[in-house]
Structure formats: structure tokens, C-alpha cells
Amino acid sequence: MVHHWIGGTNTRSETGDRFTTVSPAHDATVGDYALGTASDIDRAVRAARVAFDAGPWPRMSGQERASILNATADLIDTHNDDLARLETLESGKPITQAKAEMNAAADLWRYAATLARHTCGEAYNSLGENKLGLVLREPAGVVGMITPWNFPLLIISQKLPFALSVGCTAVIKPSELTPGTTLQLAGLAHDAGVPKGVINVVTGLGASVGSRLSEHPDVDVISFTGSTAVGRQVAAAAGRNLKRCSLELGGKNPHIIFADADLDAALDPVVFGVYFNMGECCNSGSRLLLDERIAQEFTERVIELARTIPVGDPLDPATKVGAIINIPQLEKIKRYVSNGTTCGSRLRLGGHSIPTPTGRFFEPTVFDGVTPEMAIAREEIFGPVLSILTFKTKEETIQIANDTLYGLSAGLWTANVDTAFEVSRNIRAGTIWINCFMDGYPELPFGGYGDSGLGRELGRFSTDEFTELKTVQLHIGGHTGSWL
Ligand code: NDP
């Protein structure tokens, strides 16, 4: 059994209760974990508080923190195979993809290491002859991190090393479905030199463990990734204690193809964009907006390519689409497909779960004839389901693209630079890809407008979430003049 990680050591849950994780592809038990309680969170927050208020981590030089973050990245690389296998077994994602995610996670730790040496404030030498103003950037304190099941190690690596880089400490609540790699990461970071109490992981349910973390008075910042509905609850709980809160939530992202685009180049990214990670991806390009002049031809090509996607055992290196995370998620996908078939759109490919001896798999699915008011055009399905809409003009596609509560990302393909920039400027989304889709770099900020969230992760501004500004004003030389 794997226990919580509190104060740099494996720690039993107060009650001794436990829960298991199950492979979505094989129905086999993968992990046996401590079922946390609110009081386990309280212990973890105390450990993080002591490590912040009295420990060495916030007081180390940026150089020292950077070298430990880099050493953690090296250990992630060394353990790539083990981490990727565990990630695949708990999440159902293809093993080749999981390995690439472990590489990307290590890269995030290395990038965050550079911020440990570069995050800084400002100096004002312009306030007058006798005055100097300093704006110091200080670590914000204890950060509570709540993460989902779709990219477990990658998403915690979008938060944790960035918070650590500036000297914060952390309490993490991973998804109950996929806690394995986060617990392993905490052990690797410890081996790399992260002091006791700086990283704490409590496993268990969102309703008990997650909600206690969100409302805990001794937590200074909450960083959440998951559904918009739970994000609202987390923000409300954080608001009651006036703690800062950043939210990475869902998306219903438009992927737009203009008639002048290089259609050969766009085809594979369109298919990748929607079926990657079984469509269980906040960035999924699940709304395909086609210029009606090329719509029929391009739809046929998308269907033909989607038909060839290898779906199956995620441990097979040839697999591109693995298993759906659990039965409730599979049922949700089926409900949307059923809705799509009755609302006037046309089911052109897939639409069914795939019968297998174990696990739960769903066919890559395509609907065309979708219109903007339909649920399959507006709501996040989080499954391998593509909705195809058409447009006549640039203005119409901008209007359709923005006709959603979400605003996470968007892609567009065109040979015309004016079209590319006009559309990019007018779509309300945190990331726009032009003639590419779902590329990501640690240097570039990521986050959403509207119901897709609050705040930005990655890039050099990411440390804003984890720092406080302190103004220090200095008088130089003798004093002249007085109030009275
Ligand atoms: P949730 O938002 O329910 O879960 C995300 C994390 O929040 C998990 O660790 C979860 O715990 C925790 N949590 C749940 N309830 C609370 C609470 N009241 N207070 C604090 N934390 C809580 O996502 P799901 O995993 O249930 O997925 C449901 C839907 O969310 C998906 O269908 C998809 O639409 C969306 N989603 C979006 C993601 C994104 O990256 N934008 C990622 C994952 C999901 P627990 O482990 O118990 O679930």
C-alpha cells in the first residue's frame, strides 16, 4: 500500500482506510492508496507551513533551488519507463504518448529551474534625488494544488516546479483515479534534494480532501486544474478565506480551416487534435469549423483518416487511442453521441463503444451537419467525438468560434496572413495556433478566457501566481522639511 507523502516521509492516513485504482484498459488493480481525510490535509498543511515559515527552501539562493529542480528533472528522465507505465495503467493513455509526456514533464522542471534564477522585482531610481523604490518579489507561501486524471504528471509539472522555483511549499491532491505518478514524483524530488515538508501529497476524494485543501486557512494560494463545475466550488471556497486562486478548466475549442489552407498539412493535426488522449483533453479541437467551399471534401478525408486510428491496448506501442478513464465518463460520451443522433446532425463515423474482454474503449466518432446551438457543438464531451460545422465568411467563423462559454484555445489554417491575424485577434481564447495545433512550450503562457479559467501557467509570468509583491521605500541622505 502507498501512503500519503507528508513531511518528507510515507505517512499513514489517520483512519487507515484505503482505496485502489483500476486500469481502464485491463480492469486490473493498479495501486492501493491511503484514503485521506480532512485531518490528513491539516497535517500536510502544517508540514508545508513549517517548511515555508522556518525551513531552508524559501531562504535558499535561486541557484541552489535551480540545481535541485534540474536534479529532479534528471530523475524523471531516469525513471521515464516506470513512470510512463504507471501513468498508462492508471489513465488508459497510450504508452508512447505517456513516455513523451514524461519527457515534457522533465522539460518543465528544467524550464522552471531557469525561473528560480530570473524571477525578480523592480527598482525605481526615478522618484527623486533622495528616494529609491524597490519592488521585491517574495514567495507567496503554501500552495494547494488539485489535479485531474487526464495528464497527471504533466499537469502537476505545470504547477509544482514553478511554485518551488520561487520558494513556495506545496500540498498536492491528485485525482483519486491517477495518484501514482504524483506520489512517485514527490519521492524523486526528495531524492534530488527538496527538503522535508516542501512537497506533500495527500490522496483521496475531492469532496473531502480536495475541499478541505481549497478552504484551508493556512494555504495561501490554490492552483486547480479540472472541470469548470468543480473549479467554481474551489474558487468559492478559496474566496471565503481570500486566498489567491488560479483555475485551468475545460474547453470546446474551435479548429478552423479556411479554403486557402494547405489541406494536406491540416489533415493530420485535425485528427490528432480531437482524438489525442482519447479526446480527454481540455485543449481538444472538438469543434471543426470548415469553410463550406472545402467542407465536403475535407470531411471525407477526416473520416477516412480517423477510420485508420489504432484503438486498443494502451500498452501496445502501436496504439494511438487507448481506454476511456471510467464508466461514468464512457456513459457521458454515449449520452452526447445519442443526443447528436437525435438533434439533427449526422453521425458519419463511429458512435459506439468497442466490445473487448476487458476495459472500455470508444470508436473515433465524427458528426457533420452540426449547428452552433447543438449540445455537441457547445459542451465539453471529453471523449473521441468530433463535431463538424461550416461557415461562409471570416466574420461568421469568428462569431461561431466565440459562441461558447469557454475560451481555452483555437486553431486556424490559412495561407493568408491578414486572415490569420484578424481571426487570431478576434477569437477570445488563451492560445491560438496558426497552421499548427496543440504545440506547447514551457516558455509560452497557457490558460483560458471565460469558463476556461483564471490565470496563466507556464512562461515567465507563471511565477506571478506564486509570488507577492512587496514595496520597500528608501530615503537617502539627510531629512529636510517636516509635516508641522
Ligand atoms: P473534477 O473537476 O471533478 O476533478 C478534478 C480534481 O478536483 C480531482 O482531483 C478531484 O478529486 C478534485 N475535486 C473534486 N471535487 C472537489 C471539490 N469539491 N473540491 C476540491 N476538489 C475537488 O474532474 P473529473 O475528474 O471528475 O472530470 C469531470 C470532467 O471535468 C470531465 O468530463 C471534463 O469535462 C472535465 N475535466 C477537465 C480537465 C481539464 O484539464 N480542463 C481535466 C479533467 C476533467 P477526485 O480525485 O475525487 O475526482
Side-chain angles (χ1 to χ4, degrees), residues 23-26 80-81 83-103 149-152 272 274-281 309-325 360-362 364 384:
S23 167
H26 314 96
N80 183 298
D81 285 348
L83 288 166
R85 189 177 159 81
L86 179 54
E87 200 83 308
T88 287
L89 288 175
E90 289 197 332
S91 72
K93 69 173 70 233
I95 187 73
T96 43
Q97 182 193 317
K99 284 170 181 273
E101 284 174 24
M102 301 306 118
N103 288 334
W149 43 263
N150 55 346
F151 297 97
F272 157 76
V274 64
Y275 301 117
F276 171 67
N277 209 53
M278 296 69 72
E280 295 167 342
C281 178
I309 296 172
V311 184
D313 186 347
L315 289 172
D316 180 344
T319 293
K320 293 284 186 190
V321 168
I324 303 300
I325 186 76
R360 42 207 155 267
F361 299 84
F362 202 85

Side-chain angles (χ1 to χ4, degrees), residues 254-270 288-289 291 294 298 391 410-416 419-420 423 433-439:
H255 201 167
I256 304 167
I257 315 292
F258 287 94
D260 65 354
D262 180 342
L263 300 182
D264 294 339
L267 184 60
D268 185 76
V270 163
L288 182 61
L289 274 51
D291 189 318
I294 50 101
F298 197 72
F391 65 88
L412 65 103
W413 293 75
T414 175
N416 183 323
T419 304
V423 176
W433 289 287
I434 301 172
N435 295 336
C436 55
F437 197 79
M438 230 193 293
D439 296 357

